[in-house]
Amino acid sequence: MSDKKIRFTVPNFVNEITFRDIENFDIKINSFFNRLFTSSYTSVDKYPFKKSSGNKKIQFNLNKENQLIYDNLLPKNKIQNESEYFRDLIRTYISQPHYKRERKIFYSEYESIQKAIQRKEEVLITHLGNDYIVEPYFFKVTSEEKNNFLFCWIYEREEYSVFNLSRISKVTSIRFRKNKRYVDSDYIDKVHKNFDPFLSYGNIVKVRLTDQGKIWFKRISHYKPTLVKIEGDIYYCESSDRKATLYFSRFYDEAEILEPLSLRKKIKVLLKDTLSQYE
């Protein structure tokens, strides 16, 4: 049995959202639609459809396993129009918020990790092509990113880390605990309550702002560190080094990182490398 070709037409806005997700999730179109079908074929809502010159055609190959499921669906769900069914499938998908759409496409990975969290088991995760044995604690969704982030402990690195769900390509359960370590429940709870994907909790960055820098700090919200206190021109922010670099690099000479000194040195190197490109 060869893969079944599926073709259907959707409104332009549906096409745009769909392919934006495909690009953001860094996934192939066939994999995207097969994953969506696997996770969602039992819950498809009906949507009206109007033919228009602005509609877009979508085509993908339904794999053999999903084709067997689909063939079984036909009589049970009284599906008479293939295009209509798959158009409703994608319409149902895009009607959901981004974090729920991500969970639909990465349903298998998400559910496997959730089970490991409930059972307090370790899992082997493949993230961006690299394998890690991790102790998973929780998923969090940030209002800024609207993605699902896994907070966990990486045994190989001996550190806490955050993985974006859409960058996890494989999850393998480990039925027995291979490692033993002290679990800092208090720290994990505080990270959960004060979560950001950069793991800024407890890290203080000291920065001097000019008058213009102060204005920008009020206006620019994306990746904005949490303000702890202000002493004159000195702002104390709770932020990881990476988050502070991403945020304050937009300020140019309107912001000067003072502490930690290790971050100040990194900024110096970045600025020198940038300047060398213009010499």
Side-chain angles (χ1 to χ4, degrees):
M1 180 189 297
S2 58
D3 290 355
K4 178 180 177 63
K5 284 191 176 182
I6 304 294
R7 299 183 184 89
F8 58 100
T9 306
V10 297
N12 186 48
F13 78 93
V14 175
N15 185 75
E16 288 182 355
I17 295 173
T18 300
F19 281 90
R20 190 185 307 141
D21 280 4
I22 290 173
E23 182 178 359
N24 289 338
F25 296 153
D26 192 21
I27 194 171
K28 302 293 186 184
I29 185 172
N30 283 339
S31 180
F32 174 88
F33 276 102
N34 277 284
R35 281 171 169 264
L36 175 59
F37 180 82
T38 300
S39 67
S40 309
Y41 67 85
T42 58
S43 54
V44 178
D45 298 326
K46 291 288 186 180
Y47 287 87
F49 176 68
K50 185 177 180 180
K51 292 184 178 180
S52 167
S53 59
N55 291 340
K56 302 292 183 181
K57 290 183 179 179
I58 291 179
Q59 176 178 311
F60 74 96
N61 294 329
L62 192 67
N63 64 36
K64 299 176 183 66
E65 293 80 5
N66 282 337
Q67 185 176 343
L68 290 171
I69 295 172
Y70 177 67
D71 289 344
N72 192 45
L73 273 180
L74 291 172
K76 285 186 177 182
N77 292 35
K78 299 179 180 179
I79 298 172
Q80 298 178 341
N81 189 310
E82 183 174 278
S83 296
E84 181 179 299
Y85 171 80
F86 283 99
R87 182 165 47 248
D88 288 340
L89 176 71
I90 194 64
R91 286 292 301 271
T92 303
Y93 166 80
I94 69 160
S95 69
Q96 302 172 77
H98 186 273
Y99 78 94
K100 288 189 176 180
R101 301 204 304 268
E102 186 179 42
R103 290 179 187 178
K104 288 291 185 182
I105 302 304
F106 298 92
Y107 176 83
S108 175
E109 291 82 359
Y110 179 77
E111 288 299 316
S112 295
I113 293 171
Q114 286 287 44
K115 288 179 182 177
I117 292 172
Q118 293 170 5
R119 296 170 180 168
K120 297 183 178 180
E121 295 176 344
E122 300 165 4
V123 289
L124 175 64
I125 284 178
T126 302
H127 178 260
L128 295 175
N130 297 309
D131 293 333
Y132 304 99
I133 293 176
V134 308
E135 187 170 276
Y137 299 120
F138 58 80
F139 277 104
K140 267 286 191 175
V141 178
T142 65
S143 59
E144 190 170 70
E145 298 292 342
K146 298 181 176 62
N147 292 320
N148 297 272
F149 292 97
L150 171 67
F151 177 64
C152 61
W153 173 267
I154 303 180
Y155 282 99
E156 290 88 343
R157 296 180 180 174
E158 295 188 345
E159 66 180 14
Y160 294 103
S161 190
V162 172
F163 291 150
N164 188 324
L165 174 60
S166 65
R167 298 299 180 258
I168 297 173
S169 57
K170 187 178 179 182
V171 177
T172 304
S173 297
I174 300 175
R175 293 294 180 181
F176 57 93
R177 182 170 288 277
K178 295 180 63 178
N179 305 278
K180 290 184 179 180
R181 74 176 195 88
Y182 166 71
V183 178
D184 191 343
S185 299
D186 184 56
Y187 174 77
I188 295 170
D189 288 342
K190 288 178 179 177
V191 171
H192 187 274
K193 292 176 183 177
N194 303 277
F195 184 78
D196 90 69
F198 295 94
L199 294 183
S200 298
Y201 176 75
N203 300 300
I204 300 299
V205 172
K206 185 177 174 182
V207 56
R208 178 185 289 117
L209 297 178
T210 64
D211 289 342
Q212 181 61 53
K214 294 173 186 177
I215 293 172
W216 286 348
F217 189 82
K218 288 181 180 180
R219 292 179 179 175
I220 302 174
S221 59
H222 194 52
Y223 292 142
K224 186 175 183 176
T226 301
L227 181 62
V228 177
K229 66 176 180 177
I230 302 174
E231 293 180 350
D233 295 334
I234 309 301
Y235 282 51
Y236 293 78
C237 301
E238 185 176 66
S239 175
S240 67
D241 287 4
R242 182 164 174 251
K243 187 173 186 178
T245 301
L246 287 170
Y247 184 76
F248 289 112
S249 62
R250 293 172 284 187
F251 285 51
Y252 299 101
D253 59 346
E254 307 295 343
E256 178 188 1
I257 301 294
L258 302 176
E259 293 178 7
L261 293 179
S262 57
L263 176 58
R264 182 178 173 87
K265 290 178 181 178
K266 289 178 184 177
I267 296 296
K268 281 184 179 180
V269 172
L270 287 173
L271 290 173
K272 286 180 180 178
D273 289 344
T274 301
L275 182 60
S276 67
Q277 297 180 28
Y278 291 88
E279 292 177 346

